[in-house]
Amino acid sequence: GAVVSQHPSRVICKSGTSVKIECRSLDFQATTMFWYRQFPKQSLMLMATSNEGSKATYEQGVEKDKFLINHASLTLSTLTVTSAHPEDSSFYICSARDITRGPNEQFFGPGTRLTVL
Amino acid sequence: LAKTTQPISMDSYEGQEVNITCSHNNIATNDYITWYQQFPSQGPRFIIQGYKTKVTNEVASLFIPADRKSSTLSLPRVSLSDTAVYYCLVGDGLTGGGNKLTFGTGTQLKVEL
């Protein structure tokens, strides 16, 4: 149980285009999901907290108009990278918390590798 | 959220026990200590969580001294497949921040034959 999926796993796009990444909790409901970004050889950096039915909460320094987050249901959150540029190339990972588990125990998706040409 | 400090890297051999220590001097009363494992190009995976003393599950043990200012993740009899980055996190998971996790630098464990 407690599986989180992401789609797509890998995407290559041209500069200036928008890319949507989906995060799904497959066997549990997640009122809160999280989006992270990870550059090579670096740790995960939290970008935003996605709340079902309300606006996302962005971390300091993350542009909310560039990284659009929608959490329309208890099992789906989407991250849209708008007008992507090469510096947005990164590994994007989502996570979700199953409230039936212990605190700080989150389940992570497999990640999405974004390459902007 | 309490800051954590852990070694950047560790090397070991197959079959040995590996202990990774994490310092969290500013841990708060309500904070739990959680460890995650991450393989390259994959999302992190929860390993173990504890509040005090010792916690053991099927993959690891977590030792937490009485002052809780540090913790040690113990991996018994490691294999090549345990080569990964291990992250120590501290937080209460119940704050208004909605359980958000702050990842530190992690420890790159390399297991060799």
Side-chain angles (χ1 to χ4, degrees), chain B residues 3-66:
Chain B
K3 181 180 178 180
T4 60
T5 303
Q6 48 184 128
I8 296 296
S9 65
M10 293 183 69
D11 294 329
S12 184
Y13 294 95
E14 275 202 319
Q16 293 195 333
E17 177 183 80
V18 172
N19 296 309
I20 306 174
T21 297
C22 177
S23 297
H24 26 80
N25 292 319
N26 297 322
I27 190 169
T29 303
N30 296 330
D31 285 344
Y32 284 77
I33 301 157
T34 312
W35 286 79
Y36 282 81
Q37 175 193 55
Q38 186 182 28
F39 296 111
S41 297
Q42 294 186 27
R45 182 177 72 101
F46 172 88
I47 301 176
I48 197 166
Q49 180 171 255
Y51 184 80
K52 62 180 179 180
T53 63
K54 176 184 176 182
V55 179
T56 297
N57 61 22
E58 62 276 9
V59 297
S61 294
L62 179 59
F63 298 92
I64 306 168

Short mmCIF file of all heavy atoms in Angstrom, two decimals, chain B residues 3-66:
data_model
loop_
_atom_site.label_atom_id
_atom_site.label_comp_id
_atom_site.label_asym_id
_atom_site.label_seq_id
_atom_site.Cartn_x
_atom_site.Cartn_y
_atom_site.Cartn_z
N LYS B 3 17.72 21.83 12.54
CA LYS B 3 18.71 21.53 11.52
C LYS B 3 19.42 20.25 11.87
O LYS B 3 19.65 19.95 13.05
CB LYS B 3 19.72 22.67 11.42
CG LYS B 3 20.78 22.49 10.36
CD LYS B 3 21.74 23.66 10.33
CE LYS B 3 22.84 23.43 9.30
NZ LYS B 3 23.79 24.56 9.24
N THR B 4 19.79 19.50 10.84
CA THR B 4 20.50 18.25 11.06
C THR B 4 21.87 18.29 10.41
O THR B 4 22.06 18.95 9.38
CB THR B 4 19.71 17.07 10.49
OG1 THR B 4 19.53 17.27 9.08
CG2 THR B 4 18.35 16.94 11.15
N THR B 5 22.82 17.57 10.99
CA THR B 5 24.17 17.46 10.45
C THR B 5 24.55 16.00 10.40
O THR B 5 24.43 15.29 11.41
CB THR B 5 25.17 18.22 11.33
OG1 THR B 5 24.78 19.59 11.43
CG2 THR B 5 26.56 18.15 10.71
N GLN B 6 24.98 15.55 9.24
CA GLN B 6 25.39 14.16 9.08
C GLN B 6 26.59 14.12 8.15
O GLN B 6 26.82 15.05 7.38
CB GLN B 6 24.23 13.29 8.57
CG GLN B 6 23.48 13.86 7.38
CD GLN B 6 22.28 13.03 6.98
OE1 GLN B 6 21.18 13.53 6.85
NE2 GLN B 6 22.50 11.75 6.74
N PRO B 7 27.36 13.03 8.21
CA PRO B 7 28.55 12.94 7.34
C PRO B 7 28.16 12.96 5.87
O PRO B 7 27.10 12.45 5.49
CB PRO B 7 29.19 11.61 7.74
CG PRO B 7 28.11 10.84 8.43
CD PRO B 7 27.22 11.85 9.07
N ILE B 8 28.98 13.57 5.06
CA ILE B 8 28.70 13.67 3.64
C ILE B 8 28.73 12.30 2.98
O ILE B 8 27.91 11.99 2.12
CB ILE B 8 29.70 14.60 2.94
CG1 ILE B 8 29.57 16.02 3.49
CG2 ILE B 8 29.50 14.59 1.44
CD1 ILE B 8 28.22 16.65 3.19
N SER B 9 29.68 11.47 3.39
CA SER B 9 29.82 10.16 2.76
C SER B 9 30.38 9.14 3.73
O SER B 9 31.03 9.50 4.72
CB SER B 9 30.72 10.26 1.52
OG SER B 9 32.02 10.63 1.90
N MET B 10 30.10 7.87 3.42
CA MET B 10 30.65 6.75 4.18
C MET B 10 30.89 5.60 3.22
O MET B 10 30.13 5.41 2.26
CB MET B 10 29.69 6.30 5.28
CG MET B 10 29.48 7.30 6.39
SD MET B 10 28.40 6.67 7.68
CE MET B 10 29.44 5.40 8.41
N ASP B 11 31.91 4.80 3.51
CA ASP B 11 32.21 3.63 2.70
C ASP B 11 32.14 2.39 3.59
O ASP B 11 32.50 2.43 4.77
CB ASP B 11 33.61 3.72 2.08
CG ASP B 11 33.71 4.85 1.07
OD1 ASP B 11 32.69 5.14 0.42
OD2 ASP B 11 34.80 5.44 0.94
N SER B 12 31.69 1.30 3.01
CA SER B 12 31.63 0.05 3.76
C SER B 12 31.77 -1.12 2.80
O SER B 12 31.83 -0.93 1.58
CB SER B 12 30.30 -0.04 4.52
OG SER B 12 30.27 -1.20 5.34
N TYR B 13 31.79 -2.32 3.38
CA TYR B 13 31.88 -3.53 2.58
C TYR B 13 30.66 -4.40 2.85
O TYR B 13 30.03 -4.32 3.92
CB TYR B 13 33.17 -4.29 2.90
CG TYR B 13 34.41 -3.54 2.50
CD1 TYR B 13 35.10 -2.74 3.41
CD2 TYR B 13 34.88 -3.61 1.20
CE1 TYR B 13 36.24 -2.04 3.03
CE2 TYR B 13 36.02 -2.92 0.81
CZ TYR B 13 36.69 -2.14 1.73
OH TYR B 13 37.81 -1.44 1.35
N GLU B 14 30.38 -5.23 1.92
CA GLU B 14 29.24 -6.13 2.07
C GLU B 14 29.34 -6.96 3.33
O GLU B 14 30.43 -7.43 3.69
CB GLU B 14 29.15 -7.07 0.85
CG GLU B 14 28.40 -6.47 -0.32
CD GLU B 14 27.86 -7.56 -1.25
OE1 GLU B 14 28.59 -8.54 -1.49
OE2 GLU B 14 26.71 -7.42 -1.70
N GLY B 15 28.22 -7.14 4.00
CA GLY B 15 28.18 -7.96 5.20
C GLY B 15 28.48 -7.22 6.48
O GLY B 15 28.24 -7.75 7.57
N GLN B 16 28.96 -5.98 6.38
CA GLN B 16 29.27 -5.23 7.59
C GLN B 16 28.06 -4.45 8.07
O GLN B 16 27.11 -4.20 7.33
CB GLN B 16 30.44 -4.28 7.32
CG GLN B 16 31.75 -4.98 7.06
CD GLN B 16 32.95 -4.05 7.17
OE1 GLN B 16 32.82 -2.84 6.95
NE2 GLN B 16 34.10 -4.61 7.51
N GLU B 17 28.12 -4.07 9.33
CA GLU B 17 27.10 -3.20 9.90
C GLU B 17 27.53 -1.76 9.69
O GLU B 17 28.69 -1.41 9.90
CB GLU B 17 26.94 -3.48 11.40
CG GLU B 17 25.92 -2.56 12.08
CD GLU B 17 25.85 -2.81 13.58
OE1 GLU B 17 26.74 -2.30 14.30
OE2 GLU B 17 24.93 -3.50 14.03
N VAL B 18 26.59 -0.95 9.28
CA VAL B 18 26.88 0.47 9.04
C VAL B 18 26.06 1.33 9.99
O VAL B 18 24.85 1.12 10.12
CB VAL B 18 26.57 0.86 7.59
CG1 VAL B 18 26.68 2.37 7.41
CG2 VAL B 18 27.52 0.17 6.63
N ASN B 19 26.72 2.24 10.63
CA ASN B 19 26.05 3.17 11.54
C ASN B 19 26.25 4.60 11.04
O ASN B 19 27.39 5.06 10.90
CB ASN B 19 26.61 3.03 12.96
CG ASN B 19 26.34 1.67 13.54
OD1 ASN B 19 25.21 1.19 13.54
ND2 ASN B 19 27.38 1.02 14.02
N ILE B 20 25.18 5.28 10.78
CA ILE B 20 25.23 6.67 10.32
C ILE B 20 24.64 7.54 11.42
O ILE B 20 23.48 7.36 11.80
CB ILE B 20 24.43 6.87 9.02
CG1 ILE B 20 24.90 5.89 7.95
CG2 ILE B 20 24.61 8.31 8.53
CD1 ILE B 20 24.07 5.93 6.67
N THR B 21 25.44 8.47 11.90
CA THR B 21 25.00 9.32 12.99
C THR B 21 24.57 10.69 12.48
O THR B 21 25.20 11.26 11.59
CB THR B 21 26.11 9.48 14.04
OG1 THR B 21 26.40 8.20 14.60
CG2 THR B 21 25.67 10.41 15.17
N CYS B 22 23.54 11.21 13.07
CA CYS B 22 23.00 12.52 12.70
C CYS B 22 22.91 13.38 13.96
O CYS B 22 22.45 12.91 15.00
CB CYS B 22 21.62 12.33 12.09
SG CYS B 22 20.76 13.84 11.64
N SER B 23 23.37 14.59 13.87
CA SER B 23 23.27 15.54 14.99
C SER B 23 22.11 16.48 14.78
O SER B 23 21.92 17.01 13.68
CB SER B 23 24.57 16.34 15.12
OG SER B 23 25.67 15.51 15.41
N HIS B 24 21.33 16.67 15.84
CA HIS B 24 20.20 17.61 15.78
C HIS B 24 20.10 18.28 17.14
O HIS B 24 19.19 17.97 17.93
CB HIS B 24 18.90 16.93 15.37
CG HIS B 24 18.83 15.47 15.70
ND1 HIS B 24 18.53 15.00 16.96
CD2 HIS B 24 19.03 14.38 14.91
CE1 HIS B 24 18.55 13.68 16.93
NE2 HIS B 24 18.83 13.26 15.71
N ASN B 25 21.02 19.19 17.41
CA ASN B 25 21.14 19.81 18.73
C ASN B 25 19.91 20.62 19.13
O ASN B 25 19.65 20.80 20.31
CB ASN B 25 22.38 20.69 18.78
CG ASN B 25 23.66 19.88 18.72
OD1 ASN B 25 23.77 18.84 19.34
ND2 ASN B 25 24.61 20.36 17.93
N ASN B 26 19.19 21.14 18.15
CA ASN B 26 18.05 22.01 18.46
C ASN B 26 16.72 21.29 18.35
O ASN B 26 15.68 21.93 18.16
CB ASN B 26 18.05 23.22 17.52
CG ASN B 26 19.29 24.09 17.72
OD1 ASN B 26 19.75 24.27 18.85
ND2 ASN B 26 19.83 24.60 16.65
N ILE B 27 16.73 20.00 18.53
CA ILE B 27 15.49 19.24 18.41
C ILE B 27 14.49 19.70 19.47
O ILE B 27 14.84 19.96 20.61
CB ILE B 27 15.77 17.72 18.53
CG1 ILE B 27 14.53 16.93 18.17
CG2 ILE B 27 16.31 17.38 19.90
CD1 ILE B 27 14.79 15.44 18.01
N ALA B 28 13.23 19.82 19.06
CA ALA B 28 12.18 20.27 19.97
C ALA B 28 11.49 19.08 20.61
O ALA B 28 11.58 17.95 20.13
CB ALA B 28 11.17 21.12 19.21
N THR B 29 10.77 19.38 21.68
CA THR B 29 10.12 18.33 22.45
C THR B 29 9.19 17.46 21.61
O THR B 29 9.12 16.25 21.79
CB THR B 29 9.33 18.94 23.61
OG1 THR B 29 10.21 19.72 24.42
CG2 THR B 29 8.68 17.87 24.46
N ASN B 30 8.50 18.07 20.68
CA ASN B 30 7.52 17.33 19.89
C ASN B 30 8.08 16.71 18.61
O ASN B 30 7.34 16.07 17.86
CB ASN B 30 6.36 18.24 19.49
CG ASN B 30 5.57 18.72 20.70
OD1 ASN B 30 5.48 18.02 21.70
ND2 ASN B 30 5.01 19.92 20.59
N ASP B 31 9.36 16.91 18.38
CA ASP B 31 9.96 16.43 17.12
C ASP B 31 10.21 14.94 17.11
O ASP B 31 10.64 14.35 18.12
CB ASP B 31 11.29 17.15 16.86
CG ASP B 31 11.12 18.57 16.40
OD1 ASP B 31 10.00 18.93 15.99
OD2 ASP B 31 12.11 19.33 16.43
N TYR B 32 9.97 14.34 15.95
CA TYR B 32 10.34 12.97 15.68
C TYR B 32 11.58 12.96 14.78
O TYR B 32 11.85 13.93 14.09
CB TYR B 32 9.20 12.22 14.98
CG TYR B 32 8.08 11.84 15.90
CD1 TYR B 32 7.15 12.78 16.33
CD2 TYR B 32 7.93 10.53 16.33
CE1 TYR B 32 6.12 12.43 17.18
CE2 TYR B 32 6.90 10.17 17.17
CZ TYR B 32 5.99 11.12 17.59
OH TYR B 32 4.97 10.77 18.43
N ILE B 33 12.29 11.86 14.78
CA ILE B 33 13.48 11.70 13.95
C ILE B 33 13.15 10.66 12.89
O ILE B 33 12.72 9.55 13.21
CB ILE B 33 14.68 11.25 14.80
CG1 ILE B 33 14.97 12.29 15.89
CG2 ILE B 33 15.90 11.02 13.91
CD1 ILE B 33 15.71 11.74 17.07
N THR B 34 13.36 11.05 11.65
CA THR B 34 12.96 10.19 10.54
C THR B 34 14.12 10.04 9.57
O THR B 34 14.85 10.99 9.30
CB THR B 34 11.76 10.81 9.80
OG1 THR B 34 10.76 11.21 10.75
CG2 THR B 34 11.15 9.82 8.83
N TRP B 35 14.26 8.85 9.03
CA TRP B 35 15.32 8.58 8.05
C TRP B 35 14.71 8.10 6.74
O TRP B 35 13.79 7.29 6.73
CB TRP B 35 16.29 7.52 8.57
CG TRP B 35 17.21 8.01 9.64
CD1 TRP B 35 16.92 8.17 10.96
CD2 TRP B 35 18.57 8.41 9.49
NE1 TRP B 35 18.03 8.65 11.64
CE2 TRP B 35 19.06 8.80 10.75
CE3 TRP B 35 19.45 8.47 8.39
CZ2 TRP B 35 20.37 9.25 10.97
CZ3 TRP B 35 20.75 8.91 8.59
CH2 TRP B 35 21.20 9.30 9.87
N TYR B 36 15.27 8.65 5.65
CA TYR B 36 14.86 8.26 4.32
C TYR B 36 16.07 7.77 3.54
O TYR B 36 17.20 8.17 3.79
CB TYR B 36 14.23 9.44 3.56
CG TYR B 36 12.81 9.75 3.95
CD1 TYR B 36 12.51 10.50 5.09
CD2 TYR B 36 11.74 9.28 3.18
CE1 TYR B 36 11.20 10.78 5.44
CE2 TYR B 36 10.43 9.55 3.53
CZ TYR B 36 10.17 10.30 4.66
OH TYR B 36 8.87 10.57 5.01
N GLN B 37 15.81 6.93 2.54
CA GLN B 37 16.84 6.40 1.64
C GLN B 37 16.49 6.83 0.23
O GLN B 37 15.32 6.79 -0.17
CB GLN B 37 16.84 4.88 1.73
CG GLN B 37 17.78 4.17 0.77
CD GLN B 37 17.46 2.67 0.72
OE1 GLN B 37 16.33 2.27 0.46
NE2 GLN B 37 18.46 1.84 1.00
N GLN B 38 17.49 7.24 -0.53
CA GLN B 38 17.22 7.63 -1.92
C GLN B 38 18.26 7.02 -2.85
O GLN B 38 19.47 7.22 -2.65
CB GLN B 38 17.20 9.15 -2.11
CG GLN B 38 16.78 9.55 -3.52
CD GLN B 38 16.80 11.04 -3.76
OE1 GLN B 38 17.55 11.77 -3.13
NE2 GLN B 38 15.97 11.50 -4.69
N PHE B 39 17.77 6.31 -3.86
CA PHE B 39 18.62 5.81 -4.93
C PHE B 39 18.63 6.84 -6.06
O PHE B 39 17.71 7.65 -6.17
CB PHE B 39 18.09 4.47 -5.45
CG PHE B 39 18.12 3.38 -4.42
CD1 PHE B 39 16.93 2.88 -3.89
CD2 PHE B 39 19.32 2.86 -3.96
CE1 PHE B 39 16.96 1.87 -2.94
CE2 PHE B 39 19.34 1.86 -3.00
CZ PHE B 39 18.16 1.38 -2.48
N PRO B 40 19.65 6.81 -6.91
CA PRO B 40 19.73 7.78 -8.01
C PRO B 40 18.49 7.77 -8.88
O PRO B 40 17.96 6.70 -9.22
CB PRO B 40 20.96 7.32 -8.79
CG PRO B 40 21.80 6.61 -7.77
CD PRO B 40 20.83 5.93 -6.86
N SER B 41 18.01 8.94 -9.20
CA SER B 41 16.85 9.12 -10.09
C SER B 41 15.59 8.44 -9.58
O SER B 41 14.74 8.00 -10.36
CB SER B 41 17.18 8.61 -11.50
OG SER B 41 18.23 9.38 -12.06
N GLN B 42 15.45 8.36 -8.25
CA GLN B 42 14.24 7.84 -7.65
C GLN B 42 13.82 8.75 -6.52
O GLN B 42 14.61 9.52 -5.99
CB GLN B 42 14.44 6.42 -7.11
CG GLN B 42 14.71 5.37 -8.18
CD GLN B 42 14.76 3.97 -7.58
OE1 GLN B 42 14.13 3.70 -6.56
NE2 GLN B 42 15.49 3.08 -8.23
N GLY B 43 12.54 8.66 -6.13
CA GLY B 43 12.10 9.40 -4.98
C GLY B 43 12.58 8.74 -3.69
O GLY B 43 12.86 7.54 -3.67
N PRO B 44 12.72 9.51 -2.62
CA PRO B 44 13.15 8.94 -1.35
C PRO B 44 12.16 7.90 -0.83
O PRO B 44 10.97 7.93 -1.16
CB PRO B 44 13.20 10.15 -0.41
CG PRO B 44 13.34 11.32 -1.30
CD PRO B 44 12.56 10.97 -2.53
N ARG B 45 12.69 7.00 -0.01
CA ARG B 45 11.87 5.95 0.57
C ARG B 45 12.02 6.00 2.08
O ARG B 45 13.13 6.05 2.60
CB ARG B 45 12.29 4.59 0.04
CG ARG B 45 11.46 3.42 0.55
CD ARG B 45 11.91 2.13 -0.11
NE ARG B 45 13.20 1.68 0.38
CZ ARG B 45 13.38 0.71 1.29
NH1 ARG B 45 12.33 0.12 1.83
NH2 ARG B 45 14.60 0.35 1.67
N PHE B 46 10.90 6.00 2.79
CA PHE B 46 10.90 6.01 4.25
C PHE B 46 11.58 4.75 4.77
O PHE B 46 11.30 3.64 4.32
CB PHE B 46 9.47 6.08 4.75
CG PHE B 46 9.31 5.92 6.25
CD1 PHE B 46 9.39 7.03 7.07
CD2 PHE B 46 9.08 4.68 6.81
CE1 PHE B 46 9.23 6.89 8.45
CE2 PHE B 46 8.92 4.53 8.18
CZ PHE B 46 9.00 5.64 9.00
N ILE B 47 12.50 4.93 5.74
CA ILE B 47 13.16 3.78 6.35
C ILE B 47 12.64 3.52 7.75
O ILE B 47 12.18 2.42 8.06
CB ILE B 47 14.69 3.98 6.43
CG1 ILE B 47 15.32 4.22 5.07
CG2 ILE B 47 15.34 2.77 7.10
CD1 ILE B 47 16.80 4.53 5.16
N ILE B 48 12.74 4.54 8.60
CA ILE B 48 12.42 4.33 10.00
C ILE B 48 12.19 5.66 10.68
O ILE B 48 12.69 6.70 10.22
CB ILE B 48 13.56 3.54 10.70
CG1 ILE B 48 13.11 2.94 12.02
CG2 ILE B 48 14.79 4.43 10.89
CD1 ILE B 48 14.09 1.89 12.57
N GLN B 49 11.44 5.62 11.76
CA GLN B 49 11.15 6.84 12.51
C GLN B 49 11.11 6.51 13.99
O GLN B 49 10.66 5.43 14.38
CB GLN B 49 9.82 7.43 12.07
CG GLN B 49 9.41 8.69 12.79
CD GLN B 49 8.20 9.34 12.14
OE1 GLN B 49 8.30 10.34 11.47
NE2 GLN B 49 7.05 8.73 12.35
N GLY B 50 11.58 7.46 14.82
CA GLY B 50 11.53 7.23 16.25
C GLY B 50 11.48 8.52 17.04
O GLY B 50 11.74 9.61 16.50
N TYR B 51 11.15 8.40 18.31
CA TYR B 51 11.11 9.56 19.19
C TYR B 51 12.20 9.46 20.26
O TYR B 51 12.89 10.43 20.55
CB TYR B 51 9.74 9.68 19.86
CG TYR B 51 9.60 10.90 20.72
CD1 TYR B 51 9.34 12.14 20.15
CD2 TYR B 51 9.78 10.83 22.10
CE1 TYR B 51 9.23 13.28 20.93
CE2 TYR B 51 9.67 11.96 22.89
CZ TYR B 51 9.39 13.18 22.30
OH TYR B 51 9.30 14.31 23.08
N LYS B 52 12.35 8.31 20.85
CA LYS B 52 13.40 8.11 21.85
C LYS B 52 13.78 6.64 21.92
O LYS B 52 13.12 5.78 21.35
CB LYS B 52 12.93 8.60 23.22
CG LYS B 52 11.73 7.86 23.77
CD LYS B 52 11.32 8.41 25.13
CE LYS B 52 10.09 7.66 25.66
NZ LYS B 52 9.68 8.20 26.99
N THR B 53 14.85 6.38 22.60
CA THR B 53 15.44 5.05 22.82
C THR B 53 15.73 4.34 21.51
O THR B 53 16.47 4.82 20.71
CB THR B 53 14.55 4.20 23.75
OG1 THR B 53 13.29 3.98 23.16
CG2 THR B 53 14.38 4.88 25.09
N LYS B 54 15.14 3.18 21.33
CA LYS B 54 15.49 2.37 20.17
C LYS B 54 14.25 1.92 19.43
O LYS B 54 13.25 1.54 20.04
CB LYS B 54 16.30 1.15 20.61
CG LYS B 54 16.65 0.18 19.49
CD LYS B 54 17.36 -1.04 20.03
CE LYS B 54 17.62 -2.07 18.91
NZ LYS B 54 18.28 -3.29 19.44
N VAL B 55 14.35 1.98 18.12
CA VAL B 55 13.28 1.49 17.26
C VAL B 55 13.91 0.54 16.26
O VAL B 55 14.99 0.81 15.73
CB VAL B 55 12.58 2.65 16.52
CG1 VAL B 55 11.47 2.10 15.61
CG2 VAL B 55 12.02 3.67 17.50
N THR B 56 13.24 -0.56 16.00
CA THR B 56 13.76 -1.54 15.03
C THR B 56 12.64 -1.99 14.11
O THR B 56 11.52 -2.21 14.55
CB THR B 56 14.36 -2.76 15.77
OG1 THR B 56 15.46 -2.33 16.57
CG2 THR B 56 14.86 -3.79 14.77
N ASN B 57 12.99 -2.10 12.84
CA ASN B 57 12.05 -2.71 11.90
C ASN B 57 12.81 -3.72 11.06
O ASN B 57 13.95 -4.09 11.38
CB ASN B 57 11.32 -1.65 11.06
CG ASN B 57 12.26 -0.82 10.21
OD1 ASN B 57 13.38 -1.22 9.91
ND2 ASN B 57 11.79 0.36 9.82
N GLU B 58 12.21 -4.14 9.98
CA GLU B 58 12.80 -5.23 9.21
C GLU B 58 14.04 -4.81 8.44
O GLU B 58 14.79 -5.67 7.96
CB GLU B 58 11.76 -5.82 8.24
CG GLU B 58 11.24 -4.83 7.20
CD GLU B 58 10.10 -3.97 7.72
OE1 GLU B 58 9.81 -4.01 8.94
OE2 GLU B 58 9.50 -3.24 6.90
N VAL B 59 14.30 -3.53 8.31
CA VAL B 59 15.45 -3.11 7.52
C VAL B 59 16.50 -2.37 8.32
O VAL B 59 17.67 -2.30 7.90
CB VAL B 59 15.02 -2.22 6.33
CG1 VAL B 59 14.13 -2.99 5.39
CG2 VAL B 59 14.34 -0.96 6.81
N ALA B 60 16.15 -1.77 9.44
CA ALA B 60 17.12 -0.95 10.17
C ALA B 60 16.74 -0.80 11.63
O ALA B 60 15.63 -1.16 12.05
CB ALA B 60 17.20 0.43 9.52
N SER B 61 17.69 -0.25 12.38
CA SER B 61 17.44 0.14 13.77
C SER B 61 17.79 1.61 13.92
O SER B 61 18.68 2.12 13.22
CB SER B 61 18.27 -0.70 14.74
OG SER B 61 17.87 -2.05 14.71
N LEU B 62 17.11 2.24 14.82
CA LEU B 62 17.36 3.66 15.09
C LEU B 62 17.61 3.81 16.58
O LEU B 62 16.75 3.42 17.39
CB LEU B 62 16.16 4.50 14.66
CG LEU B 62 16.24 6.01 14.91
CD1 LEU B 62 17.44 6.61 14.18
CD2 LEU B 62 14.95 6.68 14.45
N PHE B 63 18.79 4.35 16.91
CA PHE B 63 19.16 4.54 18.30
C PHE B 63 19.12 6.03 18.63
O PHE B 63 19.75 6.84 17.94
CB PHE B 63 20.56 3.98 18.56
CG PHE B 63 20.67 2.51 18.32
CD1 PHE B 63 21.07 2.01 17.09
CD2 PHE B 63 20.37 1.60 19.33
CE1 PHE B 63 21.16 0.65 16.85
CE2 PHE B 63 20.47 0.24 19.12
CZ PHE B 63 20.86 -0.25 17.88
N ILE B 64 18.42 6.36 19.69
CA ILE B 64 18.28 7.75 20.09
C ILE B 64 18.63 7.87 21.57
O ILE B 64 17.97 7.26 22.41
CB ILE B 64 16.83 8.25 19.87
CG1 ILE B 64 16.41 7.99 18.41
CG2 ILE B 64 16.71 9.74 20.20
CD1 ILE B 64 14.93 8.18 18.16
N PRO B 65 19.68 8.63 21.90
CA PRO B 65 20.07 8.76 23.31
C PRO B 65 19.05 9.59 24.07
O PRO B 65 18.17 10.22 23.48
CB PRO B 65 21.43 9.48 23.23
CG PRO B 65 21.38 10.24 21.94
CD PRO B 65 20.57 9.39 21.01
N ALA B 66 19.21 9.61 25.37
CA ALA B 66 18.23 10.28 26.24
C ALA B 66 18.08 11.77 25.92
O ALA B 66 16.98 12.31 25.99
CB ALA B 66 18.61 10.09 27.69
#
